[in-house]
Amino acid sequence: MSKTAKLKAYIRTYGCQMNERDSEVIAGLLVQHGCEMVDDGERADIYILNTCSVREHAEDRVRGKVNLLSLKKGSGGKPLIALCGCMAQAHGGRLLRALPGLDVVCGTHRIPYLPAMIEESLETGAKVVDVSDDHPHQAPLRRGIRKSRVKAWVSIMRGCDNFCSYCIVPYVRGREVSRRPGDIVHEVEGLAGRGYREITLLGQNVNSYRGGASEDGDLCDFVRLLKMVNGITGLSRIRFVTSHPKDVSGGLPGAISRMEKVCEHIHLPVQSGSNTVLRRMNRNYTGERYAEIVEKLREEVPGIAVTTDIIAGFPGETAREFDDTVSLMEEILFDGAYIFKYSERPHTAAAGMEDTVPMGLKKERLRKLIDLQMGISRKKNRALIGRSVEVLAEGESPKDPSMLIGRTRGNRVAVFPGESADAGRIVSLMVEDANATTLYCRKAERKRRITNDQ
Ligand code: SF4
């Protein structure tokens, strides 16, 4: 009998949707090995931290959590502490010296072997580390225990070839590998058949997707993949994330506009409005080119929501370069933005650049950009008051279980009265109030029943 059989396992996920999806896969693998997944880390025999390395702050939080868990270890050594994901890949076995309470360190490419590593540690009491970059077969990565019964993430590719100068991802997730289009379509058909209404196609840079050769011998690009997925019966919505501006093809705006299931939203990280900073970031576009892409998207897809990522205080960022970012934000008027201060990451080109922006100034610039965006988002959301929006009900609002939460096609969060049985339905809502992050709605007349057999 497996050493993990009947043990309770808990997964704490840090970072992006790619990690959320990996955690679903890990949960599926552990259940196959006889574990019971629990929602409360306090009850866990096996505590897994699926980590993020994109910012130093994320790593600091993980270190703090491991130290806390280590203090709680009982005489039987429980919980076993396993650390996987990008931080494991970035630091490998060195983590065992820094965090002696750790039992298992599992790299991003070794996820299918995590249960075996945990078993080995339980059986021998030894610390187990595997961060090799041999790519395991992709098949096990399709499975998993999905968190939502309404919407699902579908990985279409792993890794990244871009080497933006601040980013650790290519070093911890490896080079770009696209899944075969037929495998993706098969997975989405299965999800649609089981009642999932919305899928998000996931990749570090989905617009550079190049799937295996199709019947006519051509590689399948992202627009073609969207077309294939759009044809799947039973599905209501398709999203995709993340898009790199340099790879957005001329055909993408038309595809979003034509394909009824593809939601009118694009997450298009700009990172900076300054051409000199963009050059130092190795982003391969200018602020002008970025604005052109957004203009074309807005022309061809009226009402499309455009969200972005921005870094404040990149090494050497002058006052003028910072002002260029402010100007670009005022010009584009993003619907939302994730804004962070620059965080130096090992291995990256930017780590070797002279960082002339003091921490105090980085924080000040961060605050200024966040305040600017909050004002824009609030204004845009409040402009929707009195208008109707289509929302996919996802379930109870975590803040108020008497209300439901869902998202508009433009990915805005909507809160509205309803019952948990409504989860999985697409509802027509009237916006009554709004702030920078949330639309407060009531039900309008039209309602469409959507069944979900999960
Ligand atoms: S596109 Fe750039 S920022 Fe995005 S994952 Fe790749 S290297 Fe990192």
Side-chain angles (χ1 to χ4, degrees):
M1 183 160 151
S2 158
K3 268 273 171 192
T4 49
K6 298 204 170 20
L7 292 182
K8 294 183 173 60
Y10 174 80
I11 305 174
R12 171 94 184 255
T13 308
Y14 299 80
C16 65
Q17 286 144 315
M18 252 73 76
N19 269 12
E20 295 282 354
R21 176 67 192 126
D22 283 348
S23 290
E24 292 180 342
V25 170
I26 292 167
L29 292 166
L30 290 171
V31 167
Q32 276 172 25
H33 279 74
C35 286
E36 177 196 343
M37 300 309 298
V38 291
D39 291 336
D40 176 7
E42 294 291 323
R43 293 170 54 214
D45 304 306
I46 302 166
Y47 196 111
I48 295 165
L49 300 102
N50 190 13
T51 61
C52 170
S53 257
V54 167
R55 273 172 286 280
E56 197 173 357
H57 178 62
E59 291 199 352
D60 289 343
R61 284 172 58 212
V62 170
R63 288 191 184 93
K65 188 67 196 175
V66 172
N67 285 330
L68 208 64
L69 288 168
S70 306
L71 290 174
K72 287 186 181 166
K73 274 201 184 215
S75 50
K78 285 182 186 169
L80 176 142
I81 309 172
L83 191 147
C84 59
C86 295
M87 192 174 163
Q89 193 68 37
H91 302 290
R94 290 192 300 276
L95 286 167
L96 294 177
R97 286 195 292 279
L99 301 167
L102 272 183
D103 300 290
V104 172
V105 177
C106 174
T108 50
H109 309 293
R110 311 307 286 170
I111 284 174
Y113 309 105
L114 179 61
M117 292 167 71
I118 291 172
E119 281 187 355
E120 185 184 336
S121 183
L122 286 170
E123 202 161 313
T124 64
K127 314 266 183 192
V128 180
V129 179
D130 186 351
V131 293
S132 75
D133 56 6
D134 296 344
H135 287 270
H137 191 266
Q138 286 192 345
L141 299 182
R142 288 207 300 272
R143 292 194 283 268
I145 294 178
R146 303 211 178 242
K147 268 193 173 168
S148 167
R149 295 165 59 180
V150 174
K151 57 182 196 172
W153 292 304
V154 175
S155 290
I156 64 167
M157 61 208 295
R158 296 180 78 82
C160 183
D161 286 347
N162 284 318
F163 293 92
C164 300
S165 67
Y166 52 84
C167 182
I168 197 172
V169 166
Y171 304 94
V172 291
R173 292 247 168 201
R175 305 303 289 264
E176 200 173 282
V177 183
S178 294
R179 283 178 66 196
R180 284 193 295 259
D183 289 352
I184 296 166
V185 168
H186 184 67
E187 182 176 348
V188 178
E189 282 171 344
L191 289 164
R194 296 205 305 280
Y196 284 89
R197 296 282 68 95
E198 177 181 300
I199 57 119
T200 302
L201 302 175
L202 278 185
Q204 302 292 349
N205 180 15
V206 291
N207 293 103
S208 68
Y209 173 84
R210 292 289 180 278
S214 54
E215 282 151 20
D216 56 15
D218 288 344
L219 282 180
C220 176
D221 67 9
F222 183 61
V223 167
R224 200 157 158 192
L225 180 70
L226 273 182
K227 193 172 173 199
M228 290 162 84
V229 176
N230 190 61
I232 294 172
T233 308
L235 206 61
S236 300
R237 286 177 167 191
I238 300 165
R239 297 187 187 280
F240 55 89
V241 71
T242 288
S243 295
H244 192 307
K246 81 175 167 58
D247 290 313
V248 168
S249 69
L252 185 70
I256 299 173
S257 162
R258 264 193 326 277
M259 297 179 200
E260 71 287 354
K261 293 174 189 166
V262 179
C263 289
E264 295 79 12
H265 168 232
I266 187 164
H267 186 68
L268 195 63
V270 66
Q271 306 298 5
S272 170
S274 156
N275 290 343
T276 40
V277 172
L278 287 170
R279 206 171 308 129
R280 296 205 294 282
M281 287 177 164
N282 192 31
R283 291 290 288 177
N284 290 302
Y285 55 84
T286 60
E288 292 77 16
R289 173 69 191 132
Y290 185 93
E292 265 172 38
I293 297 168
V294 173
E295 195 183 339
K296 185 153 193 283
L297 282 159
R298 286 179 170 159
E299 247 172 49
E300 294 201 33
V301 192
I304 188 171
V306 181
T307 55
T308 199
D309 297 337
I310 295 175
I311 295 172
F314 188 76
E317 184 187 67
T318 63
R320 193 169 177 169
E321 288 171 334
F322 174 71
D323 287 345
D324 286 343
T325 298
V326 173
S327 302
L328 184 109
M329 288 173 73
E330 288 168 343
E331 178 191 345
I332 302 278
L333 299 175
F334 291 106
D335 294 86
Y338 297 98
I339 307 170
F340 297 96
K341 65 179 183 313
Y342 171 72
S343 169
E344 185 183 304
R345 302 285 62 217
H347 314 298
T348 62
M353 294 178 188
E354 194 188 353
D355 191 354
T356 53
V357 189
M359 184 52 81
L361 188 55
K362 280 194 181 98
K363 286 184 181 168
E364 195 183 300
R365 289 178 179 175
L366 174 70
R367 190 70 258 159
K368 192 169 174 189
L369 296 185
I370 290 174
D371 288 347
L372 172 60
Q373 183 56 46
M374 289 297 271
I376 296 167
S377 297
R378 184 173 183 277
K379 201 168 169 192
K380 289 194 138 196
N381 284 353
R382 289 191 66 80
L384 294 172
I385 293 174
R387 291 180 47 192
S388 64
V389 285
E390 179 203 287
V391 170
L392 174 61
E394 294 172 14
E396 287 175 0
S397 161
K399 286 189 187 155
D400 179 357
S402 70
M403 303 288 273
L404 291 184
I405 194 164
R407 285 190 185 251
T408 65
R409 287 179 67 91
N411 212 32
R412 290 181 164 87
V413 173
V415 173
F416 53 101
E419 290 155 18
S420 53
D422 285 339
R425 284 178 174 166
I426 286 188
V427 289
S428 183
L429 301 177
M430 180 65 70
V431 183
E432 291 193 305
D433 198 4
N435 59 26
T437 56
T438 310
L439 307 179
Y440 298 92
C441 307
R442 68 173 162 78
K443 281 192 182 167
E445 307 72 47
R446 190 171 67 87
K447 184 159 66 172
R448 192 145 48 100
R449 170 90 199 171
I450 293 169
T451 54
N452 189 328
D453 65 1
Q454 283 257 309

